[in-house]
Amino acid sequence: MNTDDLNFAYKVRHALNEHLDDLPASTSERLAAARAAAMARKKPHAPVKAAQTQLVGNIGALFSFSSLGRMGVALPLMALVAGLAGVYQYEEQQRIAEIAELDAAVLSDELPLTAYLDQGFNAYLAQRGQ
């Protein structure tokens, strides 16, 4: 039920309750019999919901079970994405530091001349990185 339906139901209930004492006895008996018949036909597994109070700005919906369930899925996903982004940033910083160290070694002539002439220079760099 949406809020318009609930408001209408509350207004009808209030109007009926206001004039309850003015009803004739025969009408009250027929209403009681109709209610008893309706309750007998009610499905046993259908839960009876209590009327929820409306909070200003519907703050209560923020802490309902359905929103908590959604947050229970969204929060771990956001934490996972933040963690993966952090790992990616860390790995990129490590790669940049290794490249900077290699460039500094090349520019400061710390590498032996054979390293420049050797075809296995990449193997030398890989060994130096370990």
Side-chain angles (χ1 to χ4, degrees):
M1 293 180 102
N2 60 20
T3 56
D4 292 333
D5 292 340
L6 286 175
N7 288 336
F8 177 72
Y10 289 141
K11 288 177 184 178
V12 168
R13 184 184 71 186
H14 182 67
L16 289 174
N17 286 339
E18 272 184 10
H19 302 290
L20 186 63
D21 295 332
D22 300 338
L23 290 176
S26 62
T27 305
S28 297
E29 289 172 7
R30 285 193 331 218
L31 286 173
R35 184 177 189 280
M39 291 301 288
R41 285 185 295 207
K42 180 184 171 285
K43 294 181 183 177
H45 67 278
V48 176
K49 290 188 177 183
Q52 295 178 350
T53 59
Q54 289 288 341
L55 295 176
V56 176
N58 205 7
I59 296 171
L62 180 63
F63 298 107
S64 68
F65 287 115
S66 63
S67 65
L68 289 177
R70 280 186 238 123
M71 283 193 297
V73 172
L75 288 177
L77 285 176
M78 289 191 304
L80 178 66
V81 168
L84 289 174
V87 168
Y88 176 76
Q89 286 290 90
Y90 176 77
E91 291 295 326
E92 284 295 309
Q93 290 298 325
Q94 292 295 91
R95 189 179 66 81
I96 290 171
E98 289 174 3
I99 291 172
E101 183 183 337
L102 178 64
D103 287 345
V106 168
L107 292 175
S108 65
D109 289 332
E110 290 179 10
L111 290 175
L113 291 176
T114 56
Y116 295 110
L117 300 174
D118 190 8
Q119 296 296 331
F121 184 60
N122 289 333
Y124 174 79
L125 293 178
Q127 183 183 20
R128 181 171 168 87
Q130 292 177 357

